[in-house]
Amino acid sequence: MAKTSLPLAASFLLLLISSTTSADTGRLFLTVVNHCPFTVWPAIQPNAGHPVLEKGGFALLTNTHRSFFPPSTHWSGRIWGRTGCSHYNGKFSCVTGDCGHRLECNGLGGATPASLAQFDLHHGGHQDLSSYGVSLVDGFNVPMTVTPHEGRGVCPVVGCREDLLKTCPAHLQLRSHGGHVVACKSGCEAFRTDELCCRNHYNSPQTCRASSHSLFFKHACPSTMTFAHDSLSLMHDCSSPRELKVIFCH
């Protein structure tokens, strides 16, 4: 009996592993890819009430990627890239997108300007919709796209492939201490007016309008959201995608 019990136990273990693997292969996963010629430090912030993924941040070397599973139930949040990060005198900080001087953001938001990928996963009941889009409402710091795989419905690649640091108007430029353009501000961040920030009287679809500043981003990257009440159609509903891939410098 002892001779047969070991193979049976081993068979059960293999069956359990196979079942788990099969279940995982049917799950949606997120992949973050860095094709930039420099290290990017991706950051992840969940919306209120949702769990932090991957401790909220990590380093991603040139031409590397990282894949991970979000919850299999409803989850929403955002991903952005931090640039120019370093440890100095025991302190971690980033030139753009910094989240409280932490490598792992653990739910904290990032400093603007920053390009953002926004997600709303597993909603819509039996349709199992995953919505995604790229926002330049808070400005731009690195080219970014979102590419879905194996979804049903209209599931386009969206985002901004252009390096807007090369064309950013002088009045929107954020420069490093060395004088290099490291990000491109939104009109709101540059001028802080209610109208450009869509605040108070301007906080509605009827009064919040595109500006010459937001149009700079829109003309370069038309599939991105560029002001607070931009078209809702720029968030795309994809049914049961297998993967959503965030690519820096696509």
Side-chain angles (χ1 to χ4, degrees), residues 15-33:
L15 180 62
L16 182 62
I17 293 172
S18 175
S19 299
T20 303
T21 303
S22 297
D24 280 350
T25 55
R27 286 180 60 188
L28 166 66
F29 63 97
L30 302 176
T31 299
V32 185
V33 183

Side-chain angles (χ1 to χ4, degrees), residues 65-76:
H65 73 277
R66 181 161 170 169
S67 296
F68 50 92
F69 291 114
S72 56
T73 54
H74 182 227
W75 184 89
S76 63

Side-chain angles (χ1 to χ4, degrees), residues 3 15 28 59 64 94 97 107 109 116-117 133 164 167 175 188 194 206 226 235 246 248:
K3 289 182 179 180
L15 180 62
L28 166 66
T64 62
C94 301
L116 295 173
L164 301 186
T167 55
R175 292 181 175 268
C188 170
D194 284 357
Q206 292 73 38
T226 60
M235 283 291 288
V246 177
F248 297 110

Side-chain angles (χ1 to χ4, degrees), residues 194-195 197-208 228-229:
D194 284 357
E195 185 174 7
C197 295
C198 293
R199 290 187 303 235
N200 299 322
H201 169 71
Y202 296 97
N203 186 19
S204 75
Q206 292 73 38
T207 56
C208 175
H229 287 279

Side-chain angles (χ1 to χ4, degrees), residues 82-100:
R82 295 169 288 172
T83 62
C85 303
S86 62
H87 286 276
Y88 183 73
N89 286 340
K91 180 180 175 182
F92 180 83
S93 64
C94 301
V95 174
T96 70
D98 190 79
C99 63

